Amino acid sequence: VSSENKNEVDYEAIDTEIEAVFVRVKNEYARTLPKKLAELESVIDSARAEPDQPELFTNALNELHRMKGTLGSYDFPELARLVASVEKLLRQNTDGLDPKALSSSFWEQLNPQIAAIWAEGNKQAREISDSAANT
Amino acid sequence: MADDDADIRKICNLSLSAVGKWQVVLAATGAEAVTKAKEEIPSLILLDVMMPGVDGVTAFHQIKAIPSLKEIPVILITAKVQPEELEKYMSLGIAGVIMKPFDPMRLPAEIMRLLSQHYESSGVQSDVSSKKT
């Protein structure tokens, strides 16, 4: 290797290295998804169970909003989309309304959406786990 | 860089340090961001908008009220995309807005693009080259 070559920076190799680090960080995040989704569901359940406490409803909205951004940044677009759809539904139905006014049928329509979030989250966590087992 | 979400701090830190080659100082709250900014005098400040307690916008106002920090460009990070909200933030005097989700491989380039625009419109020279965020 000439001294000239020694000073050359292999940007492609650096990018590949950085991408590998991002994949590792994404995988670490994916492994924590079931725990994070359980926390999210718990916050939503609290808002549903105690409709006369509006701060619980605000917590649920904030948590959905936060997770949407984080999931997208960790490159889980489908999961981010599913979480965003629940956030949107909650916001649309409470725009200017007291959360107490939400009917039980409204909350019931969230169930399949939350189930879809769980299915996608578990799928992502399983795929990461399987790929780790195969390497 | 301030965000109450540890996962966002982690990916942002990785992006800014590994891709952007910047020195990064992290804060978990708006109040911590102001304190650390006073200690570190960074070249750029990134603030998440939605943080409990002192949120990003309040932290921005506190930073701008401190003489040693008032010239430092501040970029807000937010998942909200309403155009009127964007306009409101820009009218405060921030250097730009990064939308969540962001692509960590492209985040530093996006920041540099926002800063170029900001400096071009304000006619000030950029100081984000030795880079502490």
Side-chain angles (χ1 to χ4, degrees), chain A residues 79-100:
Chain A
L79 204 42
R81 187 190 67 75
L82 291 166
V83 170
S85 69
V86 174
E87 183 198 3
K88 190 178 173 190
L89 194 63
L90 284 184
R91 286 195 194 279
Q92 276 174 348
N93 282 275
T94 55
D95 193 18
L97 286 176
D98 187 332
K100 273 190 285 191

mmCIF file of all heavy atoms in Angstrom, chain A residues 79-100:
data_model
loop_
_atom_site.group_PDB
_atom_site.id
_atom_site.type_symbol
_atom_site.label_atom_id
_atom_site.label_comp_id
_atom_site.label_asym_id
_atom_site.label_seq_id
_atom_site.Cartn_x
_atom_site.Cartn_y
_atom_site.Cartn_z
ATOM 1 N N LEU A 79 -45.468 -0.368 11.257
ATOM 2 C CA LEU A 79 -45.851 -0.234 12.661
ATOM 3 C C LEU A 79 -46.140 1.240 12.996
ATOM 4 O O LEU A 79 -47.112 1.550 13.707
ATOM 5 C CB LEU A 79 -44.718 -0.785 13.527
ATOM 6 C CG LEU A 79 -45.020 -1.288 14.930
ATOM 7 C CD1 LEU A 79 -46.293 -2.109 15.001
ATOM 8 C CD2 LEU A 79 -43.837 -2.096 15.445
ATOM 9 N N ALA A 80 -45.324 2.124 12.467
ATOM 10 C CA ALA A 80 -45.549 3.571 12.683
ATOM 11 C C ALA A 80 -46.902 3.971 12.096
ATOM 12 O O ALA A 80 -47.639 4.762 12.699
ATOM 13 C CB ALA A 80 -44.429 4.378 12.037
ATOM 14 N N ARG A 81 -47.238 3.419 10.928
ATOM 15 C CA ARG A 81 -48.519 3.753 10.285
ATOM 16 C C ARG A 81 -49.691 3.269 11.143
ATOM 17 O O ARG A 81 -50.687 3.971 11.326
ATOM 18 C CB ARG A 81 -48.579 3.107 8.893
ATOM 19 C CG ARG A 81 -49.768 3.516 8.052
ATOM 20 C CD ARG A 81 -49.897 2.664 6.799
ATOM 21 N NE ARG A 81 -50.223 1.271 7.076
ATOM 22 C CZ ARG A 81 -51.421 0.822 7.443
ATOM 23 N NH1 ARG A 81 -52.426 1.659 7.587
ATOM 24 N NH2 ARG A 81 -51.623 -0.464 7.698
ATOM 25 N N LEU A 82 -49.570 2.068 11.693
ATOM 26 C CA LEU A 82 -50.655 1.519 12.517
ATOM 27 C C LEU A 82 -50.848 2.347 13.796
ATOM 28 O O LEU A 82 -51.981 2.625 14.203
ATOM 29 C CB LEU A 82 -50.358 0.052 12.870
ATOM 30 C CG LEU A 82 -50.425 -0.935 11.689
ATOM 31 C CD1 LEU A 82 -49.797 -2.276 12.059
ATOM 32 C CD2 LEU A 82 -51.863 -1.140 11.246
ATOM 33 N N VAL A 83 -49.743 2.727 14.411
ATOM 34 C CA VAL A 83 -49.829 3.552 15.623
ATOM 35 C C VAL A 83 -50.426 4.924 15.274
ATOM 36 O O VAL A 83 -51.277 5.445 15.996
ATOM 37 C CB VAL A 83 -48.426 3.696 16.282
ATOM 38 C CG1 VAL A 83 -48.445 4.740 17.381
ATOM 39 C CG2 VAL A 83 -47.972 2.354 16.845
ATOM 40 N N ALA A 84 -50.009 5.469 14.129
ATOM 41 C CA ALA A 84 -50.540 6.772 13.697
ATOM 42 C C ALA A 84 -52.045 6.703 13.470
ATOM 43 O O ALA A 84 -52.771 7.661 13.751
ATOM 44 C CB ALA A 84 -49.833 7.219 12.424
ATOM 45 N N SER A 85 -52.532 5.564 12.979
ATOM 46 C CA SER A 85 -53.974 5.462 12.697
ATOM 47 C C SER A 85 -54.778 5.463 14.001
ATOM 48 O O SER A 85 -55.866 6.038 14.054
ATOM 49 C CB SER A 85 -54.277 4.217 11.856
ATOM 50 O OG SER A 85 -54.072 3.055 12.608
ATOM 51 N N VAL A 86 -54.231 4.869 15.055
ATOM 52 C CA VAL A 86 -54.917 4.905 16.358
ATOM 53 C C VAL A 86 -54.880 6.330 16.909
ATOM 54 O O VAL A 86 -55.882 6.849 17.419
ATOM 55 C CB VAL A 86 -54.272 3.914 17.358
ATOM 56 C CG1 VAL A 86 -54.882 4.063 18.742
ATOM 57 C CG2 VAL A 86 -54.453 2.482 16.865
ATOM 58 N N GLU A 87 -53.727 6.984 16.787
ATOM 59 C CA GLU A 87 -53.616 8.367 17.258
ATOM 60 C C GLU A 87 -54.631 9.258 16.527
ATOM 61 O O GLU A 87 -55.338 10.057 17.149
ATOM 62 C CB GLU A 87 -52.195 8.909 17.026
ATOM 63 C CG GLU A 87 -52.023 10.320 17.577
ATOM 64 C CD GLU A 87 -50.813 11.062 17.009
ATOM 65 O OE1 GLU A 87 -50.119 10.517 16.135
ATOM 66 O OE2 GLU A 87 -50.595 12.212 17.428
ATOM 67 N N LYS A 88 -54.709 9.064 15.214
ATOM 68 C CA LYS A 88 -55.619 9.884 14.409
ATOM 69 C C LYS A 88 -57.068 9.661 14.832
ATOM 70 O O LYS A 88 -57.843 10.619 14.981
ATOM 71 C CB LYS A 88 -55.431 9.524 12.928
ATOM 72 C CG LYS A 88 -56.131 10.442 11.967
ATOM 73 C CD LYS A 88 -55.827 10.029 10.537
ATOM 74 C CE LYS A 88 -56.660 10.851 9.568
ATOM 75 N NZ LYS A 88 -56.559 10.326 8.199
ATOM 76 N N LEU A 89 -57.414 8.404 15.050
ATOM 77 C CA LEU A 89 -58.784 8.073 15.452
ATOM 78 C C LEU A 89 -59.136 8.738 16.792
ATOM 79 O O LEU A 89 -60.220 9.313 16.950
ATOM 80 C CB LEU A 89 -58.910 6.552 15.569
ATOM 81 C CG LEU A 89 -60.301 5.975 15.656
ATOM 82 C CD1 LEU A 89 -61.078 6.262 14.383
ATOM 83 C CD2 LEU A 89 -60.242 4.470 15.880
ATOM 84 N N LEU A 90 -58.208 8.673 17.727
ATOM 85 C CA LEU A 90 -58.453 9.294 19.034
ATOM 86 C C LEU A 90 -58.582 10.816 18.901
ATOM 87 O O LEU A 90 -59.460 11.418 19.503
ATOM 88 C CB LEU A 90 -57.321 8.965 20.013
ATOM 89 C CG LEU A 90 -57.305 7.561 20.612
ATOM 90 C CD1 LEU A 90 -56.191 7.436 21.632
ATOM 91 C CD2 LEU A 90 -58.625 7.229 21.274
ATOM 92 N N ARG A 91 -57.688 11.410 18.116
ATOM 93 C CA ARG A 91 -57.735 12.870 17.971
ATOM 94 C C ARG A 91 -59.024 13.312 17.269
ATOM 95 O O ARG A 91 -59.664 14.274 17.684
ATOM 96 C CB ARG A 91 -56.524 13.381 17.190
ATOM 97 C CG ARG A 91 -55.246 13.357 17.995
ATOM 98 C CD ARG A 91 -54.137 14.185 17.349
ATOM 99 N NE ARG A 91 -52.856 13.871 17.969
ATOM 100 C CZ ARG A 91 -52.432 14.373 19.125
ATOM 101 N NH1 ARG A 91 -53.177 15.224 19.782
ATOM 102 N NH2 ARG A 91 -51.258 14.021 19.628
ATOM 103 N N GLN A 92 -59.379 12.600 16.205
ATOM 104 C CA GLN A 92 -60.582 12.972 15.443
ATOM 105 C C GLN A 92 -61.827 12.916 16.317
ATOM 106 O O GLN A 92 -62.702 13.759 16.230
ATOM 107 C CB GLN A 92 -60.782 12.018 14.272
ATOM 108 C CG GLN A 92 -59.986 12.400 13.046
ATOM 109 C CD GLN A 92 -60.097 11.344 11.961
ATOM 110 O OE1 GLN A 92 -60.584 10.241 12.192
ATOM 111 N NE2 GLN A 92 -59.623 11.686 10.779
ATOM 112 N N ASN A 93 -61.876 11.889 17.168
ATOM 113 C CA ASN A 93 -63.092 11.683 17.941
ATOM 114 C C ASN A 93 -63.149 12.495 19.220
ATOM 115 O O ASN A 93 -64.144 12.454 19.934
ATOM 116 C CB ASN A 93 -63.253 10.195 18.268
ATOM 117 C CG ASN A 93 -63.769 9.452 17.064
ATOM 118 O OD1 ASN A 93 -64.959 9.392 16.824
ATOM 119 N ND2 ASN A 93 -62.848 8.935 16.266
ATOM 120 N N THR A 94 -62.068 13.190 19.520
ATOM 121 C CA THR A 94 -62.092 13.988 20.749
ATOM 122 C C THR A 94 -61.830 15.452 20.460
ATOM 123 O O THR A 94 -61.663 16.236 21.384
ATOM 124 C CB THR A 94 -61.032 13.497 21.750
ATOM 125 O OG1 THR A 94 -59.782 13.498 21.090
ATOM 126 C CG2 THR A 94 -61.374 12.132 22.271
ATOM 127 N N ASP A 95 -61.801 15.811 19.184
ATOM 128 C CA ASP A 95 -61.533 17.195 18.825
ATOM 129 C C ASP A 95 -62.631 18.091 19.420
ATOM 130 O O ASP A 95 -63.758 18.094 18.956
ATOM 131 C CB ASP A 95 -61.492 17.322 17.293
ATOM 132 C CG ASP A 95 -60.905 18.658 16.878
ATOM 133 O OD1 ASP A 95 -60.247 19.295 17.716
ATOM 134 O OD2 ASP A 95 -61.132 19.060 15.727
ATOM 135 N N GLY A 96 -62.279 18.799 20.451
ATOM 136 C CA GLY A 96 -63.241 19.690 21.099
ATOM 137 C C GLY A 96 -64.224 18.977 22.015
ATOM 138 O O GLY A 96 -65.116 19.602 22.571
ATOM 139 N N LEU A 97 -64.041 17.676 22.161
ATOM 140 C CA LEU A 97 -64.978 16.917 23.003
ATOM 141 C C LEU A 97 -64.318 16.500 24.307
ATOM 142 O O LEU A 97 -63.102 16.342 24.376
ATOM 143 C CB LEU A 97 -65.414 15.626 22.289
ATOM 144 C CG LEU A 97 -66.389 15.731 21.127
ATOM 145 C CD1 LEU A 97 -66.585 14.346 20.545
ATOM 146 C CD2 LEU A 97 -67.724 16.269 21.609
ATOM 147 N N ASP A 98 -65.133 16.282 25.290
ATOM 148 C CA ASP A 98 -64.653 15.727 26.544
ATOM 149 C C ASP A 98 -64.445 14.220 26.335
ATOM 150 O O ASP A 98 -65.353 13.556 25.828
ATOM 151 C CB ASP A 98 -65.740 15.968 27.604
ATOM 152 C CG ASP A 98 -65.270 15.592 28.992
ATOM 153 O OD1 ASP A 98 -64.390 14.702 29.087
ATOM 154 O OD2 ASP A 98 -65.772 16.161 29.955
ATOM 155 N N PRO A 99 -63.253 13.677 26.690
ATOM 156 C CA PRO A 99 -63.039 12.232 26.512
ATOM 157 C C PRO A 99 -64.117 11.386 27.194
ATOM 158 O O PRO A 99 -64.376 10.253 26.786
ATOM 159 C CB PRO A 99 -61.672 11.994 27.148
ATOM 160 C CG PRO A 99 -61.014 13.306 27.216
ATOM 161 C CD PRO A 99 -62.081 14.351 27.234
ATOM 162 N N LYS A 100 -64.762 11.974 28.213
ATOM 163 C CA LYS A 100 -65.828 11.235 28.909
ATOM 164 C C LYS A 100 -66.986 10.902 27.961
ATOM 165 O O LYS A 100 -67.733 9.955 28.187
ATOM 166 C CB LYS A 100 -66.383 12.078 30.072
ATOM 167 C CG LYS A 100 -65.609 11.893 31.357
ATOM 168 C CD LYS A 100 -66.327 12.549 32.516
ATOM 169 C CE LYS A 100 -66.162 14.061 32.466
ATOM 170 N NZ LYS A 100 -66.606 14.739 33.686
#
